[in-house]
Amino acid sequence: MAAIESILWRGFVLPGHESCRLFSQDAHWHLEGTAVFSHAAQPCRLDYQVVCDADWRTLFARVAGWAGNSMVDIQIRTDATGHWWLNEVEQPDIMGCIDVDLNFSPSTNLLPIRRFDLAIGETADVKAAWLRFPSFKLEPLLQRYHRLDEATYRYESAGGQFVADLKVNQSGFVLDYPGIWQAEATSKVS
């Protein structure tokens, strides 16, 4: 296992912190992290793992922990034909999605950013499998990434209902998600 990079974010909408690391192992990319935050005056701790193939297509995700008094244990998987399962129940509305998007975390913005590797001025549209928080329902979410400059992507979702200019580092981790998350520390191992 080769550690590539780790990051620590401070959350503002969901007050707290999240730490994540990105690494490559056995021709797969792995995002692993823990988010500890407050929601509706309740403490939450969510550990997650996302596994992608060498081309940054999601293969598997797991979220476990608690939100207030509710235990959380979510497993998501997909196959080469674009089918998705949430805790072994097929999710036909998500058919054809490539990325998982964890609603409580900025980590998964990295997946399409890395996969598309857009040149400045280019735009890419994607339909993500969006794991909503706190319902933990899996829904399709239309997203658009437009690379404004070397370190900035304009992110839009839900047909432009949400728009934010994301500052990212060379690895694709979001450093500044205005008003929502801010990176406090990063480390990189070559």
Side-chain angles (χ1 to χ4, degrees):
M1 173 174 59
I4 303 297
E5 188 162 356
S6 60
I7 190 165
L8 174 69
W9 290 285
R10 173 182 295 276
F12 301 105
V13 172
L14 297 172
H17 281 86
E18 176 178 345
S19 186
C20 178
R21 69 182 182 146
L22 168 68
F23 63 93
S24 176
Q25 181 178 21
D26 300 327
H28 291 96
W29 290 102
H30 297 257
L31 277 175
E32 291 183 351
T34 299
V36 179
F37 57 91
S38 172
H39 172 70
Q42 296 288 312
C44 302
R45 177 191 166 174
L46 298 174
D47 299 315
Y48 61 87
Q49 177 185 27
V50 177
V51 179
C52 297
D53 67 14
D55 295 321
W56 296 97
R57 290 188 215 48
T58 300
L59 301 172
F60 172 83
R62 179 159 190 216
V63 178
W66 65 86
N69 294 326
S70 299
M71 296 303 298
V72 175
D73 192 359
I74 304 291
Q75 291 190 30
I76 299 168
R77 66 179 177 90
T78 185
D79 66 16
T81 64
H83 291 86
W84 288 73
W85 291 265
L86 174 66
N87 290 338
E88 296 305 317
V89 176
E90 189 167 0
Q91 305 290 302
D93 291 345
I94 310 304
M95 177 77 172
C97 291
I98 295 173
D99 303 306
V100 69
D101 184 333
L102 304 178
N103 180 218
F104 62 86
S105 172
S107 65
T108 48
N109 289 101
L110 177 139
L111 305 179
I113 287 171
R114 291 290 294 255
R115 186 176 65 260
F116 290 126
D117 192 24
L118 299 173
I120 294 170
E122 288 185 331
T123 300
D125 293 322
V126 64
K127 183 173 79 168
W130 191 34
L131 185 65
R132 298 281 308 254
F133 177 84
S135 69
F136 295 104
K137 291 181 180 175
L138 203 55
E139 301 175 5
L141 181 66
L142 297 177
Q143 302 175 328
R144 171 172 285 165
Y145 288 85
H146 176 76
R147 191 164 192 181
L148 299 176
D149 60 37
E150 195 64 35
T152 310
Y153 287 80
R154 175 154 297 141
Y155 168 77
E156 297 179 37
S157 63
Q161 293 179 34
F162 179 83
V163 178
D165 288 349
L166 309 179
K167 296 288 185 186
V168 301
N169 67 10
Q170 289 182 338
S171 294
F173 272 126
V174 174
L175 298 175
D176 183 26
Y177 204 127
I180 301 174
W181 288 286
Q182 176 73 48
E184 291 192 335
T186 63
S187 69
K188 186 170 185 169
V189 176
S190 300

